[in-house]
Amino acid sequence: MLRMPAFTLQQPASVDEAVRMRAELDSLYLAGGTDLLVNLKHHLQRPAHVIDLRGLPGLDGIEVGADAIRIGALTPLATVERDARVRDIVPGLAEAVASIAGPQHREMGTLGGNVMLDTRCLFYNQTEAWRTALGKCLKADGDWCHVIGSPKACVAAQSSDSVPMLTALGAVLELRTAPGEVREVALADLFTKDGRYDRMHTVPRESLLEAIRIPRPAAGHRSTYRKVRSRQAVDFPQLGVAVAATFDGRTCTAVEIVLGALLPSPRQLPTLDEAIGVEWTDAVVEAVADRVRRFARPQRSIHGDPAWRRHLAGVETRRAMLYLRP
Ligand SMILES: Cc1cc2nc3c(=O)[nH]c(=O)nc-3n(C[C@H](O)[C@H](O)[C@H](O)COP(=O)(O)OP(=O)(O)OC[C@H]3O[C@@H](n4cnc5c(N)ncnc54)[C@H](O)[C@@H]3O)c2cc1C
Ligand code: SF4
């Protein structure tokens, strides 16, 4: 039996009160709890207080405006997955969300919790007894990274399925960083290169995600998400490939490719000139797939041989491009 450490449940009445509590108390935020409660049972974190965000006003729901889709952080994944407007305007996001965990998790789990998800590692997401037997690592109570064999950094994998797609779509986060203070941060700028819980974000640790804003894509938008996992069932990604493109007729006018589950941050291809201003012929698709394969540098922090996952980065890019090309 995995027992949770004792904590006091806090139920703030406002977002400002929640942020103040997180800053002042030894505490963590709880949304749907589908990841956090498992981590607490593994004693990966032992906060004295857990701050329940459910019930806070204004954090739930999907608004579709002329310029953007705004999704409240507490919106359940299942709501995002089922929303006909999301499926129509940004199909890749509906695909990515539908690939997360299982149906029950998606009813409980929220989009905000998925964006703020802790990084994962074979040497970390284990019971306390398992970790003690091996020797605890840098991310939880130890001073050594078993993956890179050094005390310098944690390379646990950013393992959210929505993050690569939201990054490719240019999503912006509305974060309450202090009482009365909302900061807008591009999702592409949220992550650091360090997978440790208190170091993985570029914003203060008490930041509370209020909403995710996705700019409305231009006419001719197409997007898709390809997920590699050991079983086509309830499983975290071993690799995620998000592709968002715009076409004018058969000619591509813009494209973003973002890879997930490699490192503590999603990896966005810096330039894709060979795929823009041209039709996606087989030769273009092969050239891009080959570049993505060379760009991907998976670590041994999660299941799946890194060379195999690197090869699949090219394979899944090819599949995504062939699926999207008009
Ligand atoms: C068996 C299993 C399989 C899973 N498979 C997948 C998978 O395939 N893909 C995947 O992406 N995830 C997977 N998950 C993880 C999880 O279900 C999802 O990531 C879910 O979206 C997390 O949302 P939540 O609301 O439950 O977050 P919580 O568990 O409540 O919180 C997750 C983290 O985010 C923080 N947080 C939550 N909300 C906010 C906020 N508004 N502001 C600031 N911080 C916040 C919490 O403090 C915590 O650190 C799986 C989980 C399980 C148990
Ligand atoms: S990457 Fe290293 S420090 Fe990070 S969780 Fe894994 S073993 Fe621990």
Side-chain angles (χ1 to χ4, degrees), residues 29 31-36 77 101 110 114 161 197 209 227 235-236:
Y29 291 135
T34 58
D35 195 65
L36 184 74
L77 296 166
T110 63
N114 196 244
D161 282 301
Y197 190 80
L209 178 60
K227 172 170 176 171
D235 242 333
F236 281 91

Side-chain angles (χ1 to χ4, degrees), residues 20 61 68 74 79-80 164 176 184 199 215 239 319 324-325:
R20 195 173 298 115
L74 284 195
T79 304
V80 180
R176 185 82 56 124
E184 296 199 349
R199 301 188 187 196
L239 170 73
R319 288 178 176 158
L324 291 182
R325 80 177 173 188

Side-chain angles (χ1 to χ4, degrees), residues 83-122:
D83 192 287
R85 299 162 302 171
V86 171
R87 295 164 84 109
D88 183 43
I89 302 170
V90 279
L93 179 61
E95 282 175 26
V97 168
S99 79
I100 296 170
Q104 294 94 333
H105 300 105
R106 295 198 294 277
E107 293 291 340
M108 283 297 290
T110 63
L111 187 63
N114 196 244
V115 169
M116 303 305 276
L117 189 68
D118 194 6
T119 54
R120 294 185 67 81
C121 176
L122 284 167

Side-chain angles (χ1 to χ4, degrees), residues 121-124 137-139 144-148 153-156 301:
C121 176
L122 284 167
F123 298 99
Y124 170 73
C137 79
L138 202 55
K139 186 162 158 73
W144 187 257
C145 172
H146 301 303
V147 175
I148 60 171
C154 167
V155 292
S301 47

Side-chain angles (χ1 to χ4, degrees), residues 55-231:
L56 285 179
L59 298 185
D60 189 356
I62 303 176
E63 295 161 30
V64 178
D67 300 328
I69 305 174
R70 185 178 183 276
I71 305 179
L74 284 195
T75 308
L77 296 166
T79 304
V80 180
E81 174 191 355
R82 285 195 287 255
D83 192 287
R85 299 162 302 171
V86 171
R87 295 164 84 109
D88 183 43
I89 302 170
V90 279
L93 179 61
E95 282 175 26
V97 168
S99 79
I100 296 170
Q104 294 94 333
H105 300 105
R106 295 198 294 277
E107 293 291 340
M108 283 297 290
T110 63
L111 187 63
N114 196 244
V115 169
M116 303 305 276
L117 189 68
D118 194 6
T119 54
R120 294 185 67 81
C121 176
L122 284 167
F123 298 99
Y124 170 73
N125 296 97
Q126 305 286 355
T127 62
E128 178 143 45
W130 191 102
R131 290 181 291 113
T132 306
L134 182 73
K136 289 183 177 174
C137 79
L138 202 55
K139 186 162 158 73
D141 305 327
D143 57 8
W144 187 257
C145 172
H146 301 303
V147 175
I148 60 171
S150 116
K152 286 192 184 142
C154 167
V155 292
Q158 193 282 318
S159 300
S160 153
D161 282 301
S162 73
V163 161
M165 196 69 240
L166 286 167
T167 306
L169 293 169
V172 173
L173 307 181
E174 295 174 18
L175 288 150
R176 185 82 56 124
T177 48
E181 197 177 301
V182 177
R183 203 188 289 179
E184 296 199 349
V185 177
L187 180 54
D189 297 332
L190 181 68
F191 299 96
T192 68
K193 291 181 177 160
D194 194 326
R196 278 174 277 182
Y197 190 80
D198 273 352
R199 301 188 187 196
M200 65 185 188
H201 294 147
T202 52
V203 292
R205 69 183 175 88
E206 58 269 25
S207 300
L208 192 157
L209 178 60
E210 295 194 44
I212 300 111
R213 229 178 41 238
I214 306 153
R216 256 190 108 117
H221 167 84
R222 294 179 179 215
S223 53
T224 191
Y225 179 69
R226 306 278 317 177
K227 172 170 176 171
V228 175
R229 53 185 155 181
S230 47
R231 305 162 296 173

